Amino acid sequence: MAIDMMKKVPVREQEPKVRATNFDEVCLGYNKEEAMDEATRCLNCKNPQCVVGCPVSINIPGFIDEVKKGDFKKASEIIAESSALPAVCGRVCPQESQCEGKCVRGIKGEAVSIGKLERFVADWARENGVKPEVKAEKKGKKVAVIGSGPSGLTCAGDLAKLGYDVTIFEALHKAGGVLVYGIPEFRLPKDKVVQPEIENVEALGVKIETDVVIGKSTTIDALLEEEGFDAVYVGSGAGLPKFMGIPGEQALGVYSANEFLTRNNLMKAYRDDYDTPIARGKKVVVVGGGNVAMDAARTALRLGAEVHIVYRRSEAELPARAEEVHHAKEEGIIFDLLQNPTEILEDENGWVKGIKVIKMELGEPDASGRRRPVEIEGSEYEIECDTVIMSLGTSPNPLISSTTKGLEINKRQCIVADEDTGATSKSGVYAGGDAVTGAATVILAMGAGKAAAKGIDEFLSKVQ
């Protein structure tokens, strides 16, 4: 079949009406022939800007060239040099604003589908039993990694490849962080994709201890002073939800998106063979416009609700990925844009019965560069609903910083760390990902973990 070099090879997906009723993966990915066809569109640039756009600097032209030749094992080995979580990144990274956003092919046509090719290679490697290899000599030094999300897994994997004895401490009963509690099954299958990639990190020699809450079970100071660790990396994420502070927010039937998604994803509330309780509302309002809001809305839809997304700006300002917005619309999510909640209404028993919103218009740009939403006086009205999910962002839990001597934090409760090395104000302690930046993307957290692994290696190489 002739290939249109200006357009991506289409990727197969579940039909919207079908997928809106199940939790199976929406995107079905490329098969071998489709992947090789798409790989031929790569120009193999001498100065590949796609690599510049990748936070973990994958040799993108290199692995795509191997896909083009049909050598998928070699392609997987090239990716593994830079990324510990390729099947995850191929599914959830915002490629359109990173690697694909800088693709030269995209100047006059559509960018090469780098993310879908990475996903194909990672899936092929998993299905064919390809495992990472460790060749480094043991250095006889121990590093503790706090948090088993994308940042912690990346840092731990890179340190293990360098010969360090690495232990990850995870607060929850299952490793994976936001990959298991935050991102829904229909975007990121847990048993099929996440667990095998965690096992690949363990195959490098990394140990994972779950149900360890740093700040309660033990502390960073104890890890360094009593338990023999030579350095610590904090990749604990940002799991503390934010609320608006409007009347009625304490009503029964009001969730943070974090709680709603954790109940559904990690605690399997969507499955009939699990007893995890979750409000299966008939009409759900999700407040917010980011990727987490889309995940919460699409999850509520699959649980049987009519779902509205209330967002105070216009569609052009939605922070969610365009692909996620597109999928949400296809599935029947209703977008109530340029509207902002002012009160949650309760019935006589304290349950949500509706939400009061006010219409907005866009004024001058604010500090973020987006036009500031301004209330239209007298435009308030009510939306009837029985569940409200607040998806307004998250901040780091202060438990770690409050129990660690000499660890500097900023006014947002984020740990202050060097952007290039992850070094904090406390010697031997490094940090990165959402714990430093606040809620961001999986791949940016991975980039921070990668940078910190290099920083820790440089630090420990100087310590006798």
Side-chain angles (χ1 to χ4, degrees):
M1 184 179 73
I3 303 167
D4 184 345
M5 300 301 283
M6 304 308 290
K7 291 185 178 181
K8 294 179 179 181
V9 173
V11 66
R12 291 161 291 117
E13 296 178 345
Q14 280 198 76
E15 290 295 323
K17 288 183 179 179
V18 175
R19 69 182 191 239
T21 64
N22 65 55
F23 280 85
D24 297 336
E25 193 168 11
V26 169
C27 179
L28 303 179
Y30 285 145
N31 59 29
K32 174 182 173 181
E33 291 74 21
E34 291 164 342
M36 292 178 71
D37 284 347
E38 180 63 19
T40 63
R41 297 183 61 240
C42 179
L43 298 172
N44 204 7
C45 306
K46 291 183 179 179
N47 183 21
Q49 291 303 298
C50 55
V51 178
V52 176
C54 175
V56 296
S57 302
I58 292 172
N59 178 1
I60 293 168
F63 97 76
I64 291 179
D65 191 51
E66 297 303 331
V67 173
K68 184 163 45 179
K69 297 174 187 173
D71 191 343
F72 307 134
K73 184 175 187 294
K74 180 63 175 177
S76 71
E77 291 169 351
I78 291 172
I79 295 174
E81 292 171 2
S82 305
S83 175
L85 305 170
V88 169
C89 289
R91 285 167 167 83
V92 304
C93 277
Q95 291 100 2
E96 67 277 3
S97 62
Q98 295 178 339
C99 54
E100 292 181 20
K102 292 186 177 295
C103 176
V104 173
R105 177 64 82 184
I107 295 174
K108 293 184 179 180
E110 293 181 353
V112 174
S113 194
I114 298 168
K116 297 297 188 292
L117 290 174
E118 180 182 20
R119 168 188 165 148
F120 166 78
V121 171
D123 287 355
W124 183 92
R126 179 185 67 249
E127 291 161 5
N128 287 273
V130 177
K131 295 286 185 182
E133 297 180 5
V134 182
K135 299 176 182 177
E137 292 183 14
K138 293 294 183 182
K139 296 196 175 183
K141 293 184 178 180
K142 293 170 58 179
V143 180
V145 173
I146 301 172
S148 64
S151 192
L153 289 170
T154 298
C155 186
D158 278 15
L159 287 169
K161 290 177 185 176
L162 291 169
Y164 292 98
D165 182 352
V166 186
T167 302
I168 295 176
F169 296 100
E170 168 56 48
L172 296 177
H173 65 279
K174 193 170 182 64
V178 71
L179 305 177
V180 295
Y181 74 72
I183 303 175
E185 189 78 8
F186 54 81
R187 281 218 294 139
L188 188 63
K190 308 297 174 271
D191 293 339
K192 172 186 170 185
V193 175
V194 179
Q195 188 57 36
E197 299 222 310
I198 293 172
E199 290 170 1
N200 281 346
V201 173
E202 290 180 297
L204 296 171
V206 174
K207 297 180 286 293
I208 300 178
E209 293 189 21
T210 56
D211 298 310
V212 180
V213 181
I214 302 299
K216 286 193 174 182
S217 307
T218 187
T219 64
I220 287 177
D221 294 328
L223 291 173
L224 290 170
E225 297 166 12
E226 301 169 21
E227 299 187 35
F229 286 95
D230 299 289
V232 175
Y233 176 69
V234 183
S236 51
L240 197 63
K242 297 177 182 178
F243 289 89
M244 292 185 72
I246 59 177
E249 225 168 6
Q250 79 294 333
L252 299 170
V254 177
Y255 283 88
S256 70
N258 250 32
E259 180 186 358
F260 183 77
L261 290 169
T262 298
R263 284 175 181 268
N264 194 75
N265 302 334
L266 178 65
M267 301 169 73
K268 311 294 186 186
Y270 69 95
R271 283 173 48 172
D272 292 336
D273 55 335
Y274 277 72
D275 294 328
T276 306
I278 195 167
R280 294 175 181 266
K282 293 181 179 178
K283 190 169 181 180
V284 175
V285 169
V286 178
V287 180
N291 289 322
V292 176
M294 301 303 141
D295 286 344
R298 296 172 69 198
T299 295
L301 179 83
R302 284 161 169 76
L303 292 173
E306 174 188 309
V307 184
H308 292 243
I309 286 179
V310 171
Y311 180 62
R312 63 183 184 153
R313 289 182 165 97
S314 71
E315 183 169 348
E317 286 80 28
L318 279 168
R321 292 183 67 189
E323 181 179 43
E324 301 308 318
V325 175
H326 172 68
H327 282 158
K329 283 183 173 181
E330 280 189 326
E331 292 166 6
I333 304 293
I334 299 161
F335 284 75
D336 295 324
L337 303 174
L338 286 170
Q339 297 171 54
N340 203 39
T342 58
E343 182 181 357
I344 296 172
L345 307 172
E346 308 172 50
D347 65 17
E348 63 276 8
N349 297 314
W351 282 89
V352 170
K353 69 173 185 179
I355 187 167
K356 189 178 288 186
V357 300
I358 189 167
K359 294 181 180 179
M360 314 290 283
E361 59 185 357
L362 296 180
E364 295 301 314
D366 61 14
S368 71
R370 296 181 298 173
R371 293 171 66 192
R372 185 187 300 277
V374 180
E375 294 182 355
I376 300 174
E377 191 174 342
S379 65
E380 278 187 309
Y381 71 100
E382 296 177 9
I383 300 175
E384 184 182 335
C385 63
D386 54 19
T387 305
V388 175
I389 301 172
M390 291 292 185
S391 182
L392 306 168
T394 55
S395 60
N397 191 313
L399 181 61
I400 288 176
S401 58
S402 66
T403 57
T404 307
K405 290 180 286 188
L407 190 63
E408 183 184 354
I409 60 172
N410 61 25
K411 62 183 180 182
R412 296 186 298 133
Q413 300 297 313
C414 295
I415 298 170
V416 177
D418 184 86
E419 186 177 338
D420 296 324
T421 66
T424 70
S425 56
K426 186 177 180 70
S427 180
V429 177
Y430 292 71
D434 292 3
V436 170
T437 62
T441 63
V442 167
I443 191 65
L444 288 176
M446 290 175 62
K450 198 168 191 64
K454 185 178 179 183
I456 291 169
D457 180 47
E458 290 174 354
F459 167 73
L460 291 180
S461 66
K462 299 172 185 175
V463 177
Q464 299 300 318

